[in-house]
Amino acid sequence: MAETSQLSLMLMRMRFSRFFLFVVAWCTPAKLYAQPTVWRLAPSPTVRVGAAEGPELSLAAPAGATRLPNGNIAVGDLAQYAIREFTPSGAVVKRYARKGQGTGQVGYLAPLLRCGSVLVANDITGPISVFQLDGTFQRASPSYTMTYRLACNASLQFAVMGWAQDRDTKVGTYRPSVRLWIARPDTSAEVSLGNMPGGDRWGGVGGDGPLPLGREPRVAISQTRAYIALGDRVEVLVFDLNGKTLPSLSVPSLQLVSGGTMHTV
């Protein structure tokens, strides 16, 4: 009799467990089980630009590129013209944003961005220049603080990281504090995100530059959020476009062993 009761109890528990699993599976959103989209690169390029000889076709130091609606490719470059438009066969059909400090000119491109239906040339020595996709100069948006990193969304709002102050420059390895902010389309209205650690740098007698293999922060912006990755850990800081801090994006800490020493990242 006791064995029969135990068997009945076991069957009831099994049925309840199956029912519980069914309810959990039925109530859990399908997106939790969805597989992420996999993007793969073709084994060979479909378009090749900048490989031909000659000043018109070769690239000095590419700084951004985007495919245009007509199938051509706009490429930013630290050359005599900051932006060149190439056909899929590699021929140059347009050159604009000539090197300089005048209207529609770019002194030092870093980088070329596609912001919705316009191209934005971030000149770290002058204003931000906005061009239509056909290359027509639209306007210059003065930035009252020189921009070191810049990202944009389709509404032409910017996430910006500024330069370090001259007083923070040192000889040797150092990491300055930099200002970060969100800029409206005309870049005159700013939403401060505060000061944060910038990239690792190496200073010398003749100037300074990024430290090889050092931490290099990045910024990004969507239609509703701004994102900052400082490079200290696997974490992305998140803000709404009014500057309010939101929960960050992160993964659990990883323990890595290098040279017999344990590191947490």
Side-chain angles (χ1 to χ4, degrees), residues 62-101:
T66 184
R67 186 184 291 273
L68 302 173
N70 61 5
N72 291 345
I73 299 174
V75 180
D77 190 27
L78 299 181
Q80 190 61 30
Y81 288 89
I83 306 174
R84 278 177 285 177
E85 183 177 330
F86 293 84
T87 66
S89 62
V92 176
V93 292
K94 288 181 183 178
R95 302 177 305 167
Y96 48 100
R98 187 181 180 90
K99 196 174 187 67
Q101 299 297 326

Side-chain angles (χ1 to χ4, degrees), residues 125-215:
T125 65
I128 296 170
S129 296
V130 181
F131 298 86
Q132 297 177 11
L133 295 182
D134 64 1
T136 303
F137 176 72
Q138 185 169 310
R139 61 187 172 89
S141 298
S143 178
Y144 300 104
T145 303
M146 288 195 301
T147 58
Y148 182 71
R149 295 288 181 198
L150 184 73
C152 60
N153 60 20
S155 299
L156 214 58
Q157 296 170 306
F158 300 95
V160 190
M161 183 175 79
W163 283 83
Q165 300 293 319
D166 290 339
R167 64 175 180 268
D168 295 329
T169 303
K170 301 177 181 179
V171 175
T173 303
Y174 70 100
R175 191 183 190 191
S177 175
V178 297
R179 192 167 73 90
L180 293 108
W181 68 95
I182 298 170
R184 302 307 185 195
D186 62 357
T187 72
S188 61
E190 298 180 356
V191 177
S192 176
L193 300 178
N195 282 57
M196 301 182 193
D200 292 317
R201 302 187 71 80
W202 174 265
V205 177
D208 73 338
L211 179 69
L213 302 180
R215 291 163 293 189

Side-chain angles (χ1 to χ4, degrees), residues 10 13 15 25 38 41 56 78 83 99 104 115 138 141 164 171 179 190 209 217 222 238 246-247 260:
M10 290 175 62
R13 287 175 176 173
R15 289 170 181 168
V38 177
L41 295 177
E56 291 295 321
L78 299 181
I83 306 174
K99 196 174 187 67
C115 307
Q138 185 169 310
S141 298
V171 175
R179 192 167 73 90
E190 298 180 356
S222 69
V238 184
L246 301 176

